[in-house]
Amino acid sequence: MKTVFVRQERCVGCRHCEVACAIEHSKGKGLLSTIQEETKSYPRIFVEVIDNYLKFPNRCRHCDPAPCMQVCPTGSLYRDEQTGSVLIDYLKCIGCAVCAMACPFGIIQFQKIQKYEMNREVNAKCDNCIGRLEEGRIPACAEACKTSALEFGEANDLIRIARTDFTSRMITSRGSETEVPVIPENIRAFQKVMEKLASLS
């Protein structure tokens, strides 16, 4: 199962993922054209920042089983068998928000969809950039992330890498001379600046 894995400790809160997501779901697929479009394209990933500049890029996990799919009264949510992504038939969505109430991660938002020129808001959750996946590309958010806070790949492979990094840090903290993958200095410096700014407000 492929997924976008979040390495929260690497996120600097730059929101490039949000911009890339909005552009990917726009009609023009370009930064300037996206800004100028009448029906705005909004991101489907959300970088939430809380106290002391703690941040987390939150997006759909395409759960299986997916609570949003289970409660949808119109059957507008379905799973793409090829990629495992939870997708939406926008024409079936009635905007009742039951899916949003059931989502354990609070990532479902409602907005107008450009593709159908709809005059109402519908569930516009992350679609895992299904068009890009079908072309053999990775989701726009993961491609845009320059700190590797968002990595796309096989879930168990990404989990193993994260676990190995954690284990290496634990061993090193006990005095071993094992070389440890660390957060790059420029990311740590940026995080310190943002934490300082957050503490001033």
Side-chain angles (χ1 to χ4, degrees):
M1 175 187 74
K2 287 190 173 181
T3 189
V4 173
F5 193 75
V6 177
R7 300 289 301 269
Q8 184 274 332
E9 73 277 10
R10 295 180 177 174
C11 179
V12 296
C14 66
R15 298 180 186 269
H16 279 170
C17 54
E18 291 182 349
V19 174
C21 180
I23 291 172
E24 180 61 29
H25 293 91
S26 70
K27 192 177 281 183
K29 308 281 186 198
L31 178 59
L32 292 179
S33 63
T34 298
I35 293 170
Q36 296 170 345
E37 288 173 358
E38 187 174 333
T39 301
K40 298 295 180 201
S41 175
Y42 296 100
R44 298 165 185 213
I45 181 171
F46 310 97
V47 179
E48 302 294 347
V49 180
I50 59 170
D51 295 343
N52 296 323
Y53 200 63
L54 296 173
K55 56 265 170 222
F56 184 81
N58 198 8
R59 69 186 294 278
C60 176
R61 270 68 165 197
H62 301 274
C63 309
D64 189 7
C68 59
M69 283 178 63
Q70 293 175 322
V71 299
C72 179
T74 64
S76 65
L77 290 148
Y78 63 98
R79 186 175 306 282
D80 178 73
E81 295 302 323
Q82 188 76 23
T83 63
S85 304
V86 175
L87 304 176
I88 304 159
D89 182 338
Y90 298 119
L91 299 177
K92 287 185 178 178
C93 178
I94 58 174
C96 65
V98 173
C99 53
M101 295 175 211
C103 175
F105 302 102
I107 51 78
I108 293 178
Q109 291 270 309
F110 290 80
Q111 61 181 278
K112 292 181 180 175
I113 303 297
Q114 292 182 343
K115 183 177 178 183
Y116 297 104
E117 299 292 341
M118 303 173 89
N119 200 22
R120 61 190 176 94
E121 295 183 336
V122 294
N123 179 340
K125 64 176 271 315
C126 166
D127 61 0
N128 232 357
C129 290
I130 188 72
R132 293 172 64 99
L133 293 182
E134 289 170 349
E135 295 171 359
R137 301 163 65 198
I138 66 173
C141 59
E143 184 176 272
C145 183
K146 301 307 178 199
T147 62
S148 299
L150 299 172
E151 295 180 312
F152 182 74
E154 289 293 335
N156 284 335
D157 291 343
L158 297 172
I159 291 167
R160 184 171 19 80
I161 292 168
R163 186 173 57 235
T164 301
D165 288 353
F166 176 78
T167 302
S168 296
R169 285 195 301 272
M170 290 296 291
I171 290 172
T172 300
S173 69
R174 294 181 181 200
S176 167
E177 294 184 5
T178 302
E179 190 169 322
V180 182
V182 295
I183 297 173
E185 189 58 38
N186 59 338
I187 294 176
R188 282 195 291 166
F190 186 83
Q191 287 175 330
K192 284 183 180 176
V193 169
M194 297 308 289
E195 286 169 5
K196 182 67 178 176
L197 290 174
S199 70
L200 296 176
S201 60

